[in-house]
Amino acid sequence: MSSADQILAQAEQLSKTTTAKGYAIAGDEDLTPDARQRGIDDLWTQAEQEMHQLRQQHDDAVKASERDAERKLVRPPSNDPARMASYRSALDRASSALSDGRLEAVLEEAEMIGDEDQALAAFTVGIRNGVQSVVQAFLADRPSRLAAYQAYAAKTDSRGRLSRSMETGMRLSMPYKPRPGDKPMF
């Protein structure tokens, strides 16, 4: 279970616990209606603060997961300082080629001469700027990168992100706040 999923589970538990406690306070005949309302209000204030923290933690966990997927996708094959310098230089060339409308040509040249750093840099710039022709051309002969790309796309796809966002929003929301005298709805 990912850390984002664990946070959602904590939010669901907080919601259930808060609801049960809220209804217990609402139905406590030993308390005056004002005391019940204060108890419910205090409980909800605390739970809303906790839920806000869980929302922030969830957002951070999702962003970290997306960054991790992107790093796995565009990471150069070596951490050698000289190789990293070559890759950074290749990224600069690919970025310049993008603004000149030549990113596809840069990828083709890199593939032709076997410059894997330049090809990866063109792919990276292509991903970041939505140049699907470059992304698809790069992935065509690289099944291991294709698997990493599919994992990355699953985490960052805007349609999937919206759907997950709506579901997550519901799971990270506070439940119905009972009033004094309310009976549990379940």
Side-chain angles (χ1 to χ4, degrees):
M1 182 182 283
S2 72
S3 65
D5 290 336
Q6 291 172 345
I7 292 166
L8 288 177
Q10 289 174 0
E12 288 175 340
Q13 186 59 44
L14 173 63
S15 180
K16 288 177 186 176
T17 302
T18 301
T19 299
K21 287 179 181 179
Y23 278 112
I25 293 169
D28 189 344
E29 297 295 328
D30 292 337
L31 297 174
T32 66
D34 286 342
R36 283 187 259 170
Q37 187 63 56
R38 276 192 310 275
I40 292 167
D41 290 345
D42 290 347
L43 174 68
W44 244 253
T45 298
Q46 179 183 352
E48 285 172 339
Q49 290 171 351
E50 290 178 40
M51 191 65 79
H52 177 76
Q53 289 174 342
L54 289 172
R55 271 190 221 105
Q56 186 62 49
Q57 291 171 4
H58 182 267
D59 289 349
D60 292 346
V62 167
K63 287 175 187 169
S65 176
E66 289 175 358
R67 276 191 313 273
D68 184 52
E70 184 176 21
R71 279 187 193 117
K72 287 178 182 173
L73 179 61
V74 300
R75 177 183 14 223
S78 170
N79 286 334
D80 174 59
R83 185 85 185 262
M84 292 301 288
S86 170
Y87 181 61
R88 281 192 293 278
S89 178
L91 280 170
D92 288 341
R93 286 190 303 276
S95 294
S96 293
L98 175 69
S99 58
D100 294 340
R102 298 183 334 91
L103 187 60
E104 291 169 349
V106 167
L107 176 63
E108 288 174 14
E109 286 175 12
E111 300 257 323
M112 188 170 42
I113 64 172
D115 186 346
E116 190 62 25
D117 289 344
Q118 187 64 63
L120 181 59
F123 172 66
T124 301
V125 170
I127 284 177
R128 295 216 158 182
N129 293 281
V131 184
Q132 284 301 309
S133 58
V134 170
V135 171
Q136 291 170 354
F138 179 84
L139 293 173
D141 297 325
R142 295 173 175 89
S144 65
R145 292 275 183 183
L146 177 61
Y149 176 75
Q150 289 167 335
Y152 168 76
K155 290 179 191 262
T156 61
D157 176 62
S158 61
R159 291 177 309 251
R161 184 182 287 160
L162 177 61
S163 174
R164 286 187 304 275
S165 175
M166 289 170 50
E167 176 190 344
T168 299
M170 292 175 63
R171 292 172 74 184
L172 287 170
S173 296
M174 291 297 297
Y176 169 78
K177 182 178 176 180
R179 295 178 299 236
D182 278 357
K183 302 288 184 220
M185 292 186 280
F186 42 89

